[in-house]
């Protein structure tokens, strides 16, 4: 989807959670370049303000809405904030997430609950609250429909030692996307879980002692995939995109 030109219809809109993180920031920048109207969200208000300043003059309109994905009130207020500003929603990007490693035998349930709240419950609530705006966008642009792009993980497809809780949460996110397609794709609202291996972001710093960041997936590659999904027709449903690092196995995280 290219930036709208003179005489074109109003530019599409997108809501991006986790917009100040490595993947979310790359997606926000790419969508701004493509002419989207944007709602960008994250917990760090200063980081959001800096991102807004960096993207000033790009895109077709931008607002930032601080929100903690651990708070359902924040999640639902975020959805309402986008609808109040832009009306409909062409692309919902679920990029916010949290992850901590640990073996099942020693993993605390408090950390487990936090992972499930941020990585599963918040996306579920946000999709639920955004569905009216997504449906409006799909009805207005039936050739494209509207899209949800959820940043999952290879750990949600192939188990890895120390990532049981994180993998379980991301597997649930993948399942949520499939459920959206089963319930909403006939009306033009579709969802894709993007499941990469290690991406070169701060969140992957814990494995730098054994994986060179230069061997990890660039965040920009994820951003290009999100934009490409938005260019597909409503007739094409893509439930899952798995991305592995170069190596000996296609399940390489």
């Amino acid at each position: 989807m290219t930036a709208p030109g003179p005489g074109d219809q109003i530019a599409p809109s997108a809501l991006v959670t986790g917009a100040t993180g490595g993947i979310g920031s790359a997606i926000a920048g790419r969508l701004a370049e493509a002419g989207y109207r944007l709602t960008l969200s994250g917990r760090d208000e200063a980081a959001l303000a800096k991102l807004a300043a960096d993207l000033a003059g790009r895109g077709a309109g931008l607002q930032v809405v601080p929100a903690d994905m651990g708070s359902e009130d924040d999640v639902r207020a975020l959805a309402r904030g986008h609808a109040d500003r832009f009306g409909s929603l062409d692309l919902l990007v679920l990029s916010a997430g949290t992850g901590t490693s640990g073996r099942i035998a020693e993993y605390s349930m408090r950390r487990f609950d936090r992972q499930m709240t941020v990585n599963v419950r918040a996306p579920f609530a946000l999709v639920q609250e955004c569905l009216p705006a997504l449906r409006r966008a799909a009805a207005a642009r039936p050739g494209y429909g509207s899209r949800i792009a959820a940043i999952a993980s290879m750990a949600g497809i192939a188990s890895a030692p120390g990532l049981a809780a994180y993998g379980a949460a991301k597997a649930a996110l993948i399942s949520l996307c499939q459920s959206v397609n089963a319930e909403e794709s006939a009306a033009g609202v579709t969802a894709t879980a993007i499941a990469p291996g290690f991406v070169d972001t701060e969140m992957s710093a814990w494995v730098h002692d054994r994986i060179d960041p230069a061997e990890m997936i660039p965040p920009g590659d994820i951003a290009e995939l999100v934009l490409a999904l938005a260019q597909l027709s409503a007739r094409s449903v893509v439930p899952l995109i798995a991305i592995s690092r170069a190596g000996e196995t296609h399940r390489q995280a």
Side-chain angles (χ1 to χ4, degrees), residues 89-113:
L89 176 58
D90 298 273
L91 176 62
L92 171 60
V93 181
L94 303 172
S95 185
T98 187
T100 56
S101 62
R103 296 270 179 167
I104 295 171
E106 298 89 20
Y107 205 82
S108 79
M109 292 310 298
R110 189 166 77 80
R111 290 165 66 197
F112 180 90
D113 289 343

Side-chain angles (χ1 to χ4, degrees), residues 38-190:
L38 293 172
T39 296
L40 305 179
S41 184
R43 287 188 303 165
D44 189 328
E45 294 189 36
L48 276 176
K50 181 180 184 306
L51 179 61
D54 290 344
L55 297 180
R58 297 156 65 184
L62 183 152
Q63 69 171 342
V64 295
V65 180
D68 181 352
M69 292 297 102
S71 164
E72 184 175 337
D73 288 343
D74 280 12
V75 169
R76 295 192 182 276
L78 171 60
R80 293 192 295 270
H82 178 91
D84 289 346
R85 173 73 180 271
F86 298 119
S88 60
L89 176 58
D90 298 273
L91 176 62
L92 171 60
V93 181
L94 303 172
S95 185
T98 187
T100 56
S101 62
R103 296 270 179 167
I104 295 171
E106 298 89 20
Y107 205 82
S108 79
M109 292 310 298
R110 189 166 77 80
R111 290 165 66 197
F112 180 90
D113 289 343
R114 173 68 177 171
Q115 294 230 42
M116 291 298 168
T117 296
V118 174
N119 295 338
V120 183
R121 195 177 195 279
F124 190 101
L126 189 56
V127 168
Q128 187 178 68
E129 196 72 31
C130 285
L131 269 175
L134 288 162
R135 289 169 179 157
R136 286 194 293 271
R141 301 171 69 248
Y144 286 101
S146 60
R147 299 268 170 179
I148 299 168
I151 307 305
S153 169
M154 187 67 78
I157 300 173
S159 301
L163 293 177
Y166 183 72
K170 293 302 186 178
L173 185 59
I174 292 169
S175 180
L176 173 60
C177 289
Q178 294 171 352
S179 294
V180 169
N181 292 329
E183 296 181 7
E184 299 290 335
S185 62
V189 181
T190 64

Side-chain angles (χ1 to χ4, degrees), residues 157-230:
I157 300 173
S159 301
L163 293 177
Y166 183 72
K170 293 302 186 178
L173 185 59
I174 292 169
S175 180
L176 173 60
C177 289
Q178 294 171 352
S179 294
V180 169
N181 292 329
E183 296 181 7
E184 299 290 335
S185 62
V189 181
T190 64
T192 302
I194 300 176
F198 286 112
V199 180
D200 184 16
T201 67
E202 184 178 337
M203 194 170 176
S204 296
W206 67 284
V207 292
H208 282 177
D209 60 332
R210 58 187 176 88
I211 301 175
D212 187 338
E215 297 176 358
M216 294 182 178
I217 298 163
D221 286 0
I222 310 300
E224 291 296 336
L225 284 172
V226 170
L227 184 60
L229 286 168

